Amino acid sequence: MNYNEHYELFKKLNEKVKGLNKYGKILNISVYGNSCMTLLHDKEFDSDHIDASVEWNSIEKDDEVLNIINERAEENGIDEKWMNIDNPDLGLVEPSMGFIRILDEFEYLNIYCLDKRSFLAYKLRLGRIQDENEVNIIKTLLKDINIDYHDYIKELLERYYDYRMLPED
């Protein structure tokens, strides 16, 4: 999905939440995977879904939220897993990682992405260096943050993860 496809799905999701909304509820969506790069860089990074966590007034994975998400898939003829909220990789997102709010024009959605340094640490921790798309994302983030040094990358990983869990050099 490209930026416009992501945007349109979020726009339709916002309208659906608005239609159901009697009490000013806000749907919080935290985006983690390759969609972060698409949304932050307006560049497609090979993803047909959005890895995210959702929260509706502090209730995670509320049935009403899941129904709304699945309806968007049905209406748009896309896989019902377009918003992947059961991705085990989300367990690698640490509370100390930073998020930035994006697409703030939606009244009933708060959409967040990992900031670039946190996203880089997340991608490095995943260790999918055999995947060309993942390597391109890492290279883009390294360039954006102006990082060229192995030691700095190691320090960045150690900032968010227990160093004993990291692979040896």
Side-chain angles (χ1 to χ4, degrees):
M1 287 191 285
N2 62 33
Y3 178 89
N4 290 335
E5 290 168 323
H6 280 78
Y7 185 89
E8 286 303 313
L9 284 169
F10 283 129
K11 183 177 174 182
K12 290 174 182 177
L13 186 59
N14 183 67
E15 288 302 311
K16 184 66 175 182
V17 172
K18 177 182 177 181
L20 296 173
N21 210 326
K22 300 174 189 167
Y23 308 107
K25 290 183 180 179
I26 302 293
L27 182 61
N28 294 304
I29 303 170
S30 298
V31 179
Y32 302 99
N34 297 354
S35 293
C36 265
M37 292 300 287
T38 300
L39 293 166
L40 293 174
H41 288 274
D42 193 11
K43 184 175 178 184
E44 203 166 342
F45 279 94
D46 192 28
S47 183
D48 60 353
H49 63 276
I50 299 170
D51 293 321
S53 64
V54 295
E55 184 180 282
W56 179 281
N57 286 11
S58 301
I59 302 170
E60 292 185 36
K61 297 184 185 179
D62 178 275
D63 285 342
E64 190 173 23
V65 171
L66 296 176
N67 289 337
I68 292 169
I69 291 168
N70 290 337
E71 286 173 8
R72 298 296 67 69
E74 197 173 303
E75 288 174 4
N76 292 284
I78 57 177
D79 190 298
E80 68 180 29
K81 291 286 188 186
W82 74 275
M83 188 174 294
N84 181 10
I85 58 176
D86 295 319
N87 187 339
D89 294 341
L90 299 184
L92 295 175
V93 176
E94 297 292 329
S96 60
M97 291 180 159
F99 286 86
I100 55 172
R101 185 160 179 217
I102 59 169
L103 304 175
D104 58 0
E105 62 268 40
F106 297 122
E107 186 176 358
Y108 296 95
L109 303 179
N110 286 333
I111 304 170
Y112 303 92
C113 277
L114 285 169
D115 66 40
K116 290 178 182 180
R117 288 183 186 277
S118 298
F119 193 54
L120 176 59
Y122 172 75
K123 284 297 187 180
L124 290 170
R125 181 65 176 96
L126 285 172
R128 296 181 182 152
I129 57 172
Q130 72 282 5
D131 182 320
E132 183 180 345
N133 194 52
E134 295 288 309
V135 171
N136 287 335
I137 289 171
I138 291 168
K139 285 179 180 177
T140 300
L141 288 165
L142 288 169
K143 184 178 177 186
D144 283 358
I145 304 171
N146 293 319
I147 296 175
D148 292 324
Y149 302 103
H150 174 268
D151 290 340
Y152 188 78
I153 293 171
K154 187 173 179 182
E155 181 272 322
L156 182 65
L157 281 168
E158 288 173 348
R159 182 184 309 169
Y160 297 111
Y161 300 105
D162 182 345
Y163 71 92
R164 294 169 296 197
M165 296 175 59
L166 298 175
E168 293 295 320
D169 289 337

